[in-house]
């Protein structure tokens, strides 16, 4: 048993989490460093040699094995299905593209239907596989740490000499549980957005384009004329609309061939008539670098339309129909609605447990919104009457804010706000968000102040309603902020949107006392001996009994790290 614990301690010490995204939240930093803290504790316990752990199998081994079998095993099955469907689809596509356009129309239609069916299966397999990888990597943050945390707690509970160790461990355990819960909350809100995005991508998969990436990219076949005839070569093409540049990378490169990636500048694009060529889905382009036309073949008619739309081809521009809810505006009626909702919540529901977290009936929400925003008599609804419960009012307020044509904190400032929340320097983080608030348009800033003041009032009753600034950040982060493009990368930034709202709540008095001295740019923190940065929470260390200290943190340093900071850097009281 002793040998096993020592090996386990070494494993924890060397284990590295894989985090998706370019920056970790403060809670994720705590989680990432948690195994090193656990490793130190195990080492100290092993030096005492008085451990006998109960329920190690139930608390530790089985949950980890279940995670490996159920989550990672399931992901491997998804991968096999993805590879199988991909191989099946591309082999069918290659056969399909060699069909002559002179065949009977019924044969071509049947072949098109078969390809579309396989393409749908492959696309669905791809989405499910990527989604499963994302889910496993994100759920690792708590699904792996929590069994270990439970194992350590059990170890100290049943050890004869655990009194002092447990006293040291409990404050850290509480703070780490808070970080785990915050991360779980971020995961839940992100997961809902990702499921919604996945649904939209299934309905209109060809309309999704990544910001900052080529306007369109994918496979095209190019007609190439040789001395002995004509051949079709497969290329991976990336077209940037703004610069009109087309990059073509050959995919069927033969050994010894010298042809590499082509970089071309587009001059024109024209659809190729079907009766003029023995291939379907073709279009011609002209470039500055090559004389004459280049004939390209897309993978389908819909795919050709997308390429031609991106290249401003001489064809009508087709748009896939996208159903979108009617957008609301930040106008006088909207302000009246928000004020009435806030007044109703603070009058009769401020102490309601889970206020804003509990969701109301969709039918009732639509009924309230339709009544309030009725063009004939806008705002003529009494929210104080018994007709509307708190859940309906709070859900209606969130629905209104989320369906504004532009979010309260605007698309323009979204990237800067997220970058500010990602900063390691806590002073800069607060200062940058303070400055950016005063870059908002007047009506947006007024609405934001109205809402944040309300959320501050809600959080002051957290003992009754159990809603902390962190909880409110999870609820209102995606409501007050959203990226202009719906992508998985944007979804991964939702946790930083939540942190922005959490900071606004915790520092409302300072931020809305007035603008910073210079609002032209976020303030640079003044130089100091040691910049105030978020540090991972640590377990307080007792001086060992006449033994050398094996790990570097001193009692004073670890104590300084623990006191006076919440996960997002604000001074605060005790952890719940």
């Amino acid at each position: 048993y002793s040998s096993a614990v020592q090996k386990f301690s070494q494993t924890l010490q060397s284990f590295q989490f894989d985090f998706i995204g370019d920056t970790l939240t403060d809670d994720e930093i705590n989680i990432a460093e948690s195994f090193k803290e656990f490793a130190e504790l195990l080492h100290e316990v092993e030096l005492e040699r008085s451990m006998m752990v109960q329920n190690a199998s139930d608390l530790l081994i089985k949950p980890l094995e279940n995670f490996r079998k159920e989550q990672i095993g399931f992901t491997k099955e998804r991968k096999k299905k993805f590879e199988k469907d991909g191989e099946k689809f591309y082999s069918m596509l290659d056969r399909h593209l060699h069909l002559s356009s002179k065949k009977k129309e019924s044969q071509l239609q049947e072949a098109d239907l078969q390809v579309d069916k396989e393409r749908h299966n492959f696309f669905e397999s791809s989405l499910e596989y990527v989604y499963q990888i994302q889910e496993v990597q994100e759920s690792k943050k708590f699904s792996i740490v929590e069994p270990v945390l439970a194992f350590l707690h059990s170890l100290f509970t049943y050890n004869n000499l655990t009194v002092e160790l447990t006293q040291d461990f409990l404050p850290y355990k509480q703070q780490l549980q808070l970080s785990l819960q915050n991360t779980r909350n971020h995961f839940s809100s992100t997961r809902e957005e990702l499921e919604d995005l996945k649904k939209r991508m299934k309905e209109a998969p060809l309309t999704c384009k990544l910001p900052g990436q080529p306007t369109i990219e994918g496979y095209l076949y190019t007609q190439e004329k040789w001395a002995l005839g004509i051949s079709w070569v497969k290329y991976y093409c990336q077209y940037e609309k703004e610069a009109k540049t087309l990059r073509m990378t050959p995919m069927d490169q033969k050994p010894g061939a010298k042809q590499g990636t082509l970089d071309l500048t587009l001059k024109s694009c024209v659809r190729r008539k079907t009766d003029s060529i023995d291939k379907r889905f073709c279009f011609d382009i002209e470039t500055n670098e090559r004389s004459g036309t280049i004939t390209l073949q897309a993978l389908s008619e819909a795919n050709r339309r997308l390429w031609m739309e991106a290249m401003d081809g001489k064809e009508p521009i087709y748009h896939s129909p996208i159903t979108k809810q009617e957008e609301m505006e930040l106008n006088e009626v909207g302000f009246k609605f928000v004020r009435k909702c806030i007044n109703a919540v603070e009058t009769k529901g401020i102490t309601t447990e889970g206020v804003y977290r509990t969701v109301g009936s969709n039918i009732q929400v639509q009924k309230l919104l339709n009544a309030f925003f009725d063009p004939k008599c806008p705002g003529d609804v009494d929210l104080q009457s018994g007709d509307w419960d708190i859940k309906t009012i709070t859900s209606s307020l969130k629905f209104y804010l989320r369906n504004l044509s532009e979010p309260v904190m605007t698309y323009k400032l979204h990237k800067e706000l997220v970058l500010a929340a990602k900063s390691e320097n806590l002073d800069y983080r607060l200062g940058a968000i303070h400055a950016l608030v005063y870059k908002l348009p007047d009506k947006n800033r007024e609405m934001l102040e109205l809402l944040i003041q309300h959320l501050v009032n809600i959080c002051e009753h957290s003992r009754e309603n159990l809603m902390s600034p962190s909880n409110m950040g999870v609820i209102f982060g995606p409501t007050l902020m959203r990226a202009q493009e719906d992508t998985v990368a944007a979804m991964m930034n939702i946790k930083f949107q939540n942190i922005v709202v959490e900071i606004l709540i915790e520092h409302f008095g300072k931020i809305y006392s007035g603008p910073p001295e210079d609002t032209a740019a976020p303030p640079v923190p003044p130089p100091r001996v040691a910049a105030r940065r978020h540090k991972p929470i640590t377990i307080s260390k007792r001086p060992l009994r006449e033994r050398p200290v094996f790990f570097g943190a001193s009692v004073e340093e670890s104590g300084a790290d623990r006191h006076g900071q919440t996960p997002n850097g604000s001074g605060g009281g005790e952890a719940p």
Side-chain angles (χ1 to χ4, degrees), residues 514-575:
E517 293 180 5
D518 181 12
T519 57
V524 177
R528 55 200 311 174
V529 176
R532 193 170 69 96
R533 296 177 181 273
H534 173 77
K535 298 180 181 179
I537 55 175
T538 58
I539 302 170
S540 62
K541 303 296 188 297
R542 294 175 292 106
L544 296 177
R545 298 185 188 91
E546 299 180 1
R547 287 181 181 165
V549 178
F550 288 88
F551 298 96
S554 67
V555 177
E556 291 77 16
E557 288 173 341
S558 61
D561 288 344
R562 285 186 300 118
H563 297 296
Q565 280 187 299
T566 65
N568 283 315
S570 62
E574 299 175 356

Side-chain angles (χ1 to χ4, degrees), residues 114-177:
Q114 289 179 344
V115 170
D116 285 342
K117 182 179 178 182
E118 286 304 322
R119 180 183 292 111
H120 178 75
N121 290 339
F122 174 57
F123 186 75
E124 196 159 81
S125 295
S126 306
L127 277 176
E128 293 296 340
Y129 178 40
V130 173
Y131 176 74
Q132 186 61 27
I133 292 173
Q134 148 75 16
E135 181 154 325
V136 168
Q137 291 288 6
E138 287 294 285
S139 62
K140 271 184 185 178
K141 298 173 188 173
F142 46 83
S143 295
I144 293 182
V145 176
E146 284 177 331
V148 181
L149 191 61
F151 167 72
L152 285 170
H153 187 65
S154 174
L155 182 150
F156 296 138
T157 303
Y158 293 100
N159 191 310
N160 291 333
L161 298 177
T162 58
V163 176
E164 291 180 358
L165 286 173
T166 304
Q167 289 174 346
D168 293 340
F169 178 67
L170 284 177
Y172 175 80
K173 173 176 172 279
Q174 290 177 339
Q175 292 187 64
L176 185 57
Q177 282 177 324

Side-chain angles (χ1 to χ4, degrees), residues 420-568:
K422 290 180 177 181
S423 172
E424 292 181 2
N425 188 304
L426 302 180
D427 295 324
Y428 178 79
R429 189 184 298 181
L430 173 58
I433 291 173
H434 186 178
L436 290 168
V437 163
Y438 286 88
K439 285 188 174 183
L440 290 168
D442 291 342
K443 64 179 181 179
N444 294 66
R445 189 167 67 252
E446 182 184 350
M447 176 62 79
L448 184 64
E449 181 176 6
L450 190 66
L451 291 165
I452 300 300
Q453 175 67 74
H454 171 57
L455 299 185
V456 170
N457 295 340
I458 295 285
C459 293
E460 286 175 353
H461 294 79
S462 60
R463 287 188 179 275
E464 294 90 0
N465 58 37
L466 305 182
M467 298 304 290
S468 65
S470 177
N471 298 142
M472 283 302 185
V474 169
I475 294 167
F476 279 89
T479 303
L480 299 176
M481 293 176 65
R482 65 178 182 270
Q484 197 156 11
E485 296 281 350
D486 279 339
T487 65
V488 174
M491 301 300 138
M492 294 311 301
N493 279 332
I494 287 176
K495 55 195 174 188
F496 295 103
Q497 297 172 194
N498 303 346
I499 288 172
V500 170
V501 175
E502 186 180 342
I503 290 172
L504 289 173
I505 296 171
E506 290 180 337
H507 300 279
F508 174 78
K510 178 177 180 179
I511 290 173
Y512 279 98
S513 62
E517 293 180 5
D518 181 12
T519 57
V524 177
R528 55 200 311 174
V529 176
R532 193 170 69 96
R533 296 177 181 273
H534 173 77
K535 298 180 181 179
I537 55 175
T538 58
I539 302 170
S540 62
K541 303 296 188 297
R542 294 175 292 106
L544 296 177
R545 298 185 188 91
E546 299 180 1
R547 287 181 181 165
V549 178
F550 288 88
F551 298 96
S554 67
V555 177
E556 291 77 16
E557 288 173 341
S558 61
D561 288 344
R562 285 186 300 118
H563 297 296
Q565 280 187 299
T566 65
N568 283 315

Side-chain angles (χ1 to χ4, degrees), residues 176-423:
L176 185 57
Q177 282 177 324
L178 183 61
S179 289
L180 290 167
Q181 187 57 51
N182 289 341
T183 304
R184 186 191 294 275
N185 290 341
H186 293 320
F187 169 74
S188 298
S189 64
T190 304
R191 186 182 189 184
E192 290 173 7
E193 297 288 338
L194 285 169
E195 286 175 348
D196 187 48
L197 174 62
K198 186 174 72 166
K199 182 180 176 183
R200 292 199 302 276
M201 289 177 73
K202 282 183 178 179
E203 292 171 354
L206 296 176
T207 63
C208 298
K209 297 183 177 69
L210 294 174
Q213 299 295 326
T215 302
I216 188 170
E217 55 185 301
Y219 293 108
L220 292 174
Y221 287 78
T222 303
Q223 185 187 66
E224 299 197 353
K225 298 178 182 179
W226 308 95
L228 300 177
I230 295 173
S231 65
W232 290 85
V233 181
K234 187 177 182 181
Y235 284 83
Y236 188 78
C237 301
Q238 298 170 294
Y239 179 69
E240 178 61 59
K241 185 170 184 175
E242 203 168 302
K244 290 192 173 184
T245 54
L246 177 66
R247 168 164 285 201
M248 301 175 64
T249 305
M251 302 306 295
D252 301 324
Q253 191 84 320
K254 296 179 181 178
K258 295 182 180 179
Q259 186 177 10
T261 300
L262 302 174
D263 288 303
L264 306 173
T265 307
L266 191 74
K267 286 168 63 178
S268 65
C269 172
V270 182
R271 182 179 68 85
R272 186 71 177 260
K273 291 183 179 180
T274 306
D275 55 7
S276 68
I277 191 168
D278 189 30
K279 293 281 185 180
R280 306 171 71 203
F281 320 135
C282 293
F283 59 100
D284 293 336
I285 63 170
E286 292 184 353
T287 65
N288 294 332
E289 290 77 10
R290 284 193 174 187
S291 59
T293 60
I294 301 172
T295 300
L296 302 173
Q297 183 186 26
L299 304 183
S300 66
E301 182 59 39
N303 186 240
R304 173 170 70 174
R305 284 203 302 268
L306 283 174
W307 279 100
M308 292 193 63
E309 179 183 343
M311 294 179 172
D312 296 322
K314 294 180 181 178
E315 276 284 298
I317 297 176
Y318 295 86
H319 289 288
S320 300
I322 301 174
T323 305
K324 192 171 184 181
Q325 291 172 319
E326 186 177 349
E327 292 172 333
M328 298 180 171
E329 297 298 331
L330 201 61
N331 52 24
E332 187 178 341
V333 179
F335 270 91
K336 186 176 181 181
F337 176 67
V338 171
R339 288 192 176 97
K340 279 198 169 187
C341 287
I342 289 173
N343 189 38
V345 172
E346 294 190 357
T347 302
K348 60 181 184 178
I350 198 166
T351 58
T352 303
E353 184 175 328
V355 62
Y356 283 108
R357 186 171 55 205
T358 311
V359 181
S361 161
N362 281 335
I363 296 173
Q364 288 298 310
V365 168
Q366 289 300 327
K367 184 179 176 182
L368 171 56
L369 290 167
N370 289 338
F372 200 100
F373 291 96
D374 185 351
K376 296 178 182 177
C377 49
D380 188 19
V381 178
D382 181 11
L383 298 184
Q384 298 288 352
S385 68
D387 297 338
W388 312 106
D389 59 23
I390 290 299
K391 290 187 293 185
T392 301
I393 295 170
T394 56
S395 295
S396 300
L397 176 59
K398 289 187 291 183
F399 184 93
Y400 165 75
L401 294 170
R402 209 155 195 186
N403 286 275
L404 290 169
S405 56
E406 185 175 29
V408 172
M409 301 187 77
T410 71
Y411 292 130
K412 182 180 178 181
L413 296 180
H414 179 85
K415 186 175 181 181
E416 292 179 72
L417 286 162
V418 169
L419 286 174
K422 290 180 177 181
S423 172

